[in-house]
């Protein structure tokens, strides 16, 4: 089956008749065609990326539509350490269908085609991720590498922070945002190429431990909830999963987001709550420490199309060689010892003041 046959089974008119909105993320322009209340939700979310110029990439959103008959789905394997069913795919002759198993949201992806359908108003985060996926794929086709990292920038310097899931990269990046003059680049995905970084317009989704540890974020919780959390053992608070959206402009003020930035430093969090030694920062090379690449590299998942239109096969692992090239000239430092966000923030201040030394 071909993509055109799938599109013939859908009603694209509601999207095409809606007033489009446009996004600009670095060199990537996206036009979103979306009917109904979902449009207002998305334009508010993407406020820092809004543009008055149509983008080369078009995304059609079709709330409450469904494919009938249903495609024959194949489960997509989760990343190592993740359990449960998340995505399923159905490959077409010239494209791919992707389905979110829990929500039932379905996507049509092909060269020049990006369509989302189903219960979209109940799955706004999924829609946001789909739009951002178009940015990732566009830049990866242009030779950029996808890193699992948060990033901030300050003047002519840029800092990306990576680590294992739950290692504290979002908390670390937000602590850097308390430094005057720092701008937010990205929370969880960063594209790398030739000493440059490109983020995506996805606001941080943070756990209560991050909120409780930063007075600037306390208003995201009620006073009673903060008191309840403060009574928890530190280990329980660290492991608690209860995500809250943090809107950068609301918390830190206007003009604090910059998606395209230089990349001069990359820090890999390899610390531990159980470590006895204090936190320390050490310059390393990936030739000496190839193990750290595992915390940096990120598979693009089932949506990614190569320049020739081929889709990412299930189970594909990223190739280290392009990452080594993308990070050439970037200072890599390992963060080891005991987890200490105060000490890490102090190193960030020293970095942006031009006074950072290892240790």
């Amino acid at each position: 089956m071909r993509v055109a046959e799938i599109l013939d089974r859908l009603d694209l008119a509601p999207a095409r008749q809606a007033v489009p909105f446009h996004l600009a993320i670095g060199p990537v322009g996206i036009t979103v065609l979306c009917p109904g209340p979902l449009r207002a939700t998305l334009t508010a979310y993407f406020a820092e990326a809004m543009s008055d110029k149509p983008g080369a990439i078009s995304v059609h959103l079709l709330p409450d539509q469904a494919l009938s008959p249903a495609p024959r789905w194949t489960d997509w394997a989760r990343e190592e350490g993740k359990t449960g069913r998340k995505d399923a795919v159905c490959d077409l002759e010239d494209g791919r269908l992707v389905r979110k198993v829990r929500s039932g949201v379905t996507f049509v992806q092909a060269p020049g085609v990006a369509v989302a359908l189903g219960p979209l108003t109940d799955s706004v985060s999924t829609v946001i991720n789909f739009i951002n996926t178009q940015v990732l794929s566009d830049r990866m086709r242009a030779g950029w590498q996808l890193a699992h990292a948060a990033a901030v920038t300050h003047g002519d310097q840029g800092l990306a922070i990576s680590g294992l899931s739950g290692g504290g990269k979002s908390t670390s990046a937000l602590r850097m945002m308390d430094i005057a003059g720092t701008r937010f680049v990205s929370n969880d995905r960063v594209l790398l190429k030739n000493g440059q970084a490109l983020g995506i317009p996805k606001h941080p989704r943070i756990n209560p431990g991050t909120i409780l540890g930063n007075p600037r974020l306390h208003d995201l919780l009620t006073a009673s909830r903060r008191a309840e959390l403060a009574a928890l053992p530190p280990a329980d608070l660290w492991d608690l999963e209860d995500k809250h959206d943090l809107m950068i402009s609301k918390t830190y003020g206007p003009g604090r987001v910059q998606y395209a930035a230089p990349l001069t430093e990359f820090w890999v969090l390899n610390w531990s709550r159980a470590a006895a030694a204090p936190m320390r920062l050490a310059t390393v090379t990936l030739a000496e420490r190839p193990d750290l690449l595992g915390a940096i590299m990120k598979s693009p998942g089932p949506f990614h199309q190569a320049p020739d239109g081929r889709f990412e096969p299930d189970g594909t692992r990223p190739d280290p060689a392009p990452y080594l090239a993308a990070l050439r000239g970037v200072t890599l430092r390992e963060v080891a010892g005991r987890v200490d966000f105060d000490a890490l923030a102090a190193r960030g201040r020293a970095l942006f003041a031009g006074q950072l030394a290892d240790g």
Side-chain angles (χ1 to χ4, degrees):
M1 182 177 294
R2 300 184 65 83
V3 169
E5 297 175 65
I6 295 294
L7 297 181
D8 285 343
R9 292 156 57 183
L10 300 172
D11 181 8
L12 297 177
R16 289 173 173 169
Q17 293 168 2
V19 177
F21 66 89
H22 314 297
L23 307 175
I25 305 96
V28 183
I30 297 177
T31 290
V32 181
L33 300 101
C34 175
L38 179 60
R39 183 187 186 280
T41 302
L42 293 175
T43 53
Y45 186 91
F46 286 115
E48 287 92 350
M50 293 290 286
S51 171
D52 57 0
K53 297 180 180 179
I57 301 170
S58 294
V59 176
H60 289 69
L61 304 181
L62 308 176
D64 303 319
Q65 294 195 36
L67 287 173
S68 181
R72 182 175 297 178
W73 299 106
T74 301
D75 281 350
W76 183 269
R78 299 286 310 265
E79 294 179 348
E80 187 175 349
K82 300 291 182 68
T83 60
R85 299 173 66 211
K86 182 179 180 181
D87 297 326
V89 302
C90 176
D91 282 329
L92 308 172
E93 293 178 40
D94 56 348
R96 173 175 279 177
L97 304 178
V98 181
R99 181 178 176 85
K100 294 296 179 180
V101 174
R102 291 182 181 177
S103 67
V105 173
T106 300
F107 307 97
V108 187
Q109 189 82 64
V113 177
V115 178
L117 59 140
L120 305 186
T121 53
D122 296 328
S123 308
V124 175
S125 291
T126 299
V127 175
I128 291 167
N129 290 342
F130 180 61
I131 294 170
N132 284 330
T133 293
Q134 310 311 311
V135 180
L136 301 180
S137 283
D138 178 87
R139 290 298 84 195
M140 291 179 70
R141 286 192 290 271
W144 292 64
Q145 304 305 311
L146 177 60
H148 191 193
V152 297
T153 187
H154 187 287
D156 59 357
Q157 298 187 82
L159 168 64
I161 303 174
S162 191
L164 299 178
S165 180
K169 59 183 180 297
S170 296
T171 303
S172 300
L174 292 177
R175 291 298 300 271
M176 302 300 170
M177 286 294 294
D178 289 329
I179 302 170
T182 303
R183 295 187 177 190
F184 178 83
V185 175
S186 199
N187 176 60
D188 195 52
R189 303 285 189 274
V190 178
L191 291 148
L192 316 171
K193 186 179 182 181
N194 297 337
Q196 297 294 311
L198 181 67
I200 59 171
K202 181 72 183 288
H203 296 283
R205 302 197 73 232
I206 54 177
N207 282 318
T210 299
I211 298 171
L212 205 63
N214 189 336
R216 187 190 287 266
L217 310 181
H218 282 181
D219 287 347
L220 295 175
L221 298 171
T222 63
S224 60
R225 179 58 172 159
R226 292 199 304 272
E228 179 185 340
L229 292 169
L232 291 176
D236 291 351
L237 182 63
W238 180 282
D239 294 331
L240 182 62
E241 286 283 337
D242 181 20
K243 296 290 187 181
H244 296 257
D245 285 323
L246 186 157
M247 307 299 282
I248 294 295
S249 59
K250 182 177 180 180
T251 300
Y252 295 95
R256 297 295 301 275
V257 176
Q258 180 179 322
Y259 296 118
L263 181 64
T264 53
E265 295 262 338
F266 205 119
W267 296 359
V268 180
L269 303 177
N270 194 22
W271 54 10
S272 169
R273 287 174 285 160
M279 191 219 82
R280 62 187 183 277
L281 202 63
T283 302
V284 297
T285 68
L286 288 174
E288 300 167 340
R289 295 294 308 279
D291 57 298
L292 297 181
L293 262 180
I296 297 173
M297 298 187 300
K298 181 68 177 176
S299 172
F303 294 94
H304 178 58
Q305 303 165 267
D308 62 3
R310 291 182 300 107
F311 280 85
E312 190 80 359
D314 196 358
T316 300
R317 294 181 178 274
D319 179 6
Y323 284 87
L324 295 173
L327 290 168
R328 191 173 296 125
V330 176
T331 300
L332 181 74
R333 303 183 201 259
E334 179 185 24
V335 181
R338 184 172 58 248
V339 172
D340 187 336
F341 292 108
D342 290 335
L344 193 72
R347 302 299 197 282
R349 292 187 187 91
L351 169 68
F352 298 139
Q355 301 170 350
L356 180 65
D358 283 354

